[in-house]
Amino acid sequence: KMITKSLVLTYLYLLIYITLSSGVILYNKWVLSKKYFNFPFPITLTMIHMAFSGSVAFLLIRVFKVVSPVKMTFRIYATCVVPISAFFASSLWFGNTAYLHISVAFIQMLKAL
């Protein structure tokens, strides 16, 4: 088969995602660890993550015009964007809370599943 540019880009994006995801796990574990930084508030860490993600998304869409903005009604926003955002935030929250109790190796195995 022929290797296309889009296939290479897809694998590159996956590699970047896996690398950054592993980095975030290690960083969160370090921040929440009693041995190192000892920051005992996983929900606050989650809020920092969400604020950073929102800021980067805003910059990429509104300022740098990497993708064009989507026009949507309040109904679509409330029924599509808000639930996904809530589940993503709760996933981050529970994941960050888990860093207080389990090892990084175990977290990596769970993410792989």
Side-chain angles (χ1 to χ4, degrees):
K1 285 186 172 182
M2 180 182 262
I3 298 176
T4 63
K5 181 180 176 182
S6 65
L7 183 65
V8 171
L9 279 175
T10 301
Y11 282 115
L12 179 65
Y13 293 150
L14 284 171
L15 180 65
I16 291 169
Y17 174 78
I18 290 168
T19 303
L20 290 176
S21 179
S22 299
V24 168
I25 287 172
L26 292 171
Y27 175 75
N28 286 343
K29 182 65 177 178
W30 176 77
V31 168
L32 294 168
S33 174
K34 290 181 196 277
K35 185 177 176 184
Y36 297 107
F37 197 79
N38 196 24
F39 185 75
F41 306 109
I43 188 68
T44 305
L45 189 60
T46 302
M47 289 168 47
I48 293 168
H49 282 295
M50 297 305 289
F52 179 76
S53 297
S55 301
V56 170
F58 177 82
L59 287 172
L60 289 175
I61 294 169
R62 300 288 181 178
V63 176
F64 297 113
K65 310 281 188 201
V66 173
V67 293
S68 59
V70 176
K71 303 286 184 200
M72 69 175 73
T73 63
F74 178 76
R75 183 175 182 271
I76 292 173
Y77 185 80
T79 58
C80 296
V81 175
V82 171
I84 292 170
S85 300
F87 282 119
F88 181 68
S90 64
S91 171
L92 273 176
W93 178 20
F94 292 131
N96 289 342
T97 304
Y99 298 152
L100 296 172
H101 306 289
I102 60 180
S103 70
V104 172
F106 189 63
I107 294 167
Q108 288 286 49
M109 288 188 288
L110 289 175
K111 283 192 78 169
L113 291 173

